Amino acid sequence: MNFLELVRKRYSLRKYAPRPVGRAALERCIEAARLAPSACNSQPWRFIVVESTELRERLAETAFSGIYKMNQFACRAPVLVVMIRETSGYAARLGGTLRGVPYSLIDLGIAGEHFALQAAEEGLGTCWLGWFNERAVKNILGLNRRTRVDILFSVGHPEEGADLPEKKRKAAAEMCEYR
Amino acid sequence: MNFLELVRKRYSLRKYAPRPVGRAALERCIEAARLAPSACNSQPWRFIVVESTELRERLAETAFSGIYKMNQFACRAPVLVVMIRETSGYAARLGGTLRGVPYSLIDLGIAGEHFALQAAEEGLGTCWLGWFNERAVKNILGLNRRTRVDILFSVGHPEEGADLPEKKRKAAAEMCEYR
């Protein structure tokens, strides 16, 4: 599978089979994220992979309740991955402040997508989730109040019969020009 | 080449051969970026691929001068790609405001890394550049003052004899735990 094929294969999976996910596959996904580039090589990320049924159920129930319930599909995923944004190193922070761009968020995007693309290569589906009760997530995981949990991923095998949805994107001419 | 091999192959190239880059390869890099996921499918990005020698030289000279000269290596890249951050759609913007996370930056990271990984697959090298004179870039390209040019990429073939550098990253156990 070449990279463009992998990119086309990755999509936001919202229908998960109950089948568990192997630890080795998860480790390869984390390895792909670990090797991601970042501003000044700050690597401003940390992952918590929640596999145990009891913890995952408690986490999902509170993370996706109330105003966050549009993401309740993630309660059926056999794995939830919590992505924490750490503070960048000094040089990246200084540069980011001078430029007015918090690079650590771009870095999070890069590392998270490495994770998601490796998952797609493993035959797994993922969904990037930004809309959840962060406070509840931190409470349940015993994280410091000031920890920044910006992203969760739901991870699992696609439900049987799940179709690869068509990608709806702007045309190339709308998002790129050559000069 | 599987995805982890591609991830290992991608590195920040700072020594470019003068050899030009084919348009078809650039189009495939843009295609990979175009298909990237984003919050609420906002696709908050736009690319300007600067290939023409005259414009590229003017751009590079001013973008990487003065306090930005640590990135002057990029003046020797045969292509510069300007990545513009557009405003996200309403839902992503509202969610981002409520959560305190500007998702468009995460989205930029995702799409930019799709670009960089496809370039690696093409045998090209890239470097993510966040440290440049944004005002000068906008002036030279005739962009509106309020346009957000967060990222430039230098793109080209590696200089002959360029070695794949070793990746220095935190150990897996330092950036991930399983629960």
Side-chain angles (χ1 to χ4, degrees), chain B residues 30-118:
Chain B
I30 292 293
E31 178 66 2
R34 186 180 77 86
L35 296 173
S38 54
C40 305
N41 200 23
S42 281
Q43 309 164 61
W45 48 66
R46 196 151 58 85
F47 293 79
I48 302 174
V49 179
V50 180
E51 299 170 299
S52 85
T53 310
E54 192 268 334
L55 181 60
R56 180 179 49 76
E57 283 178 353
R58 270 201 300 143
L59 184 67
E61 246 163 57
T62 48
F64 308 117
S65 64
I67 58 167
Y68 303 100
K69 74 175 176 206
M70 63 172 279
N71 281 335
Q72 251 173 2
F73 69 85
C75 297
R76 298 192 55 202
V79 175
L80 288 175
V81 174
V82 177
M83 196 173 181
I84 294 165
R85 175 158 53 110
E86 301 275 16
T87 303
S88 293
Y90 176 74
R93 236 161 51 231
L94 178 64
T97 303
L98 293 173
R99 288 272 290 108
V101 183
Y103 292 121
S104 59
L105 279 165
I106 295 182
D107 295 340
L108 220 63
I110 300 173
E113 188 63 358
H114 277 212
F115 180 92
L117 288 164
Q118 180 61 33

Side-chain angles (χ1 to χ4, degrees), chain A residues 43-111:
Chain A
Q43 309 165 61
W45 49 65
R46 197 151 56 86
F47 292 80
I48 301 174
V49 180
V50 180
E51 299 169 299
S52 85
T53 309
E54 191 268 335
L55 181 60
R56 181 178 48 76
E57 283 179 352
R58 268 202 301 141
L59 184 66
E61 246 162 57
T62 49
F64 308 117
S65 63
I67 57 167
Y68 303 100
K69 74 174 177 205
M70 63 171 279
N71 281 335
Q72 252 173 0
F73 69 86
C75 298
R76 299 192 55 203
V79 175
L80 287 175
V81 174
V82 177
M83 195 173 183
I84 293 166
R85 176 158 53 111
E86 301 276 15
T87 303
S88 293
Y90 176 73
R93 234 160 53 232
L94 178 64
T97 303
L98 293 173
R99 288 271 291 109
V101 183
Y103 292 120
S104 59
L105 279 165
I106 295 182
D107 296 339
L108 221 63
I110 299 173

Side-chain angles (χ1 to χ4, degrees), chain B:
Chain B
M1 185 158 50
N2 68 32
F3 182 62
L4 268 173
E5 286 165 344
L6 180 62
V7 161
R8 290 195 188 99
K9 192 180 162 194
R10 187 225 55 84
Y11 67 100
S12 297
L13 180 68
R14 293 188 173 84
K15 290 184 174 177
Y16 293 93
R19 182 148 64 101
V21 175
R23 170 68 71 92
L26 290 169
E27 283 175 350
R28 284 189 294 270
C29 296
I30 292 293
E31 178 66 2
R34 186 180 77 86
L35 296 173
S38 54
C40 305
N41 200 23
S42 281
Q43 309 164 61
W45 48 66
R46 196 151 58 85
F47 293 79
I48 302 174
V49 179
V50 180
E51 299 170 299
S52 85
T53 310
E54 192 268 334
L55 181 60
R56 180 179 49 76
E57 283 178 353
R58 270 201 300 143
L59 184 67
E61 246 163 57
T62 48
F64 308 117
S65 64
I67 58 167
Y68 303 100
K69 74 175 176 206
M70 63 172 279
N71 281 335
Q72 251 173 2
F73 69 85
C75 297
R76 298 192 55 202
V79 175
L80 288 175
V81 174
V82 177
M83 196 173 181
I84 294 165
R85 175 158 53 110
E86 301 275 16
T87 303
S88 293
Y90 176 74
R93 236 161 51 231
L94 178 64
T97 303
L98 293 173
R99 288 272 290 108
V101 183
Y103 292 121
S104 59
L105 279 165
I106 295 182
D107 295 340
L108 220 63
I110 300 173
E113 188 63 358
H114 277 212
F115 180 92
L117 288 164
Q118 180 61 33
E121 178 144 303
E122 304 280 348
L124 295 166
T126 54
C127 192
W128 281 87
L129 299 159
W131 186 241
F132 56 86
N133 187 332
E134 182 178 359
R135 200 169 177 174
V137 169
K138 291 195 283 197
N139 272 339
I140 284 174
L141 297 176
L143 299 170
N144 188 294
R145 200 168 51 84
R146 298 170 70 183
T147 307
R148 287 171 300 191
V149 180
D150 290 341
I151 293 292
L152 300 185
F153 283 102
S154 50
V155 184
H157 294 277
E159 214 177 44
E160 223 172 310
D163 276 338
L164 191 67
E166 199 202 337
K167 286 203 191 307
K168 294 190 173 74
R169 298 288 189 271
K170 290 176 197 164
E174 278 178 77
M175 48 71 80
C176 182
E177 55 178 308
Y178 295 81
R179 292 201 197 169

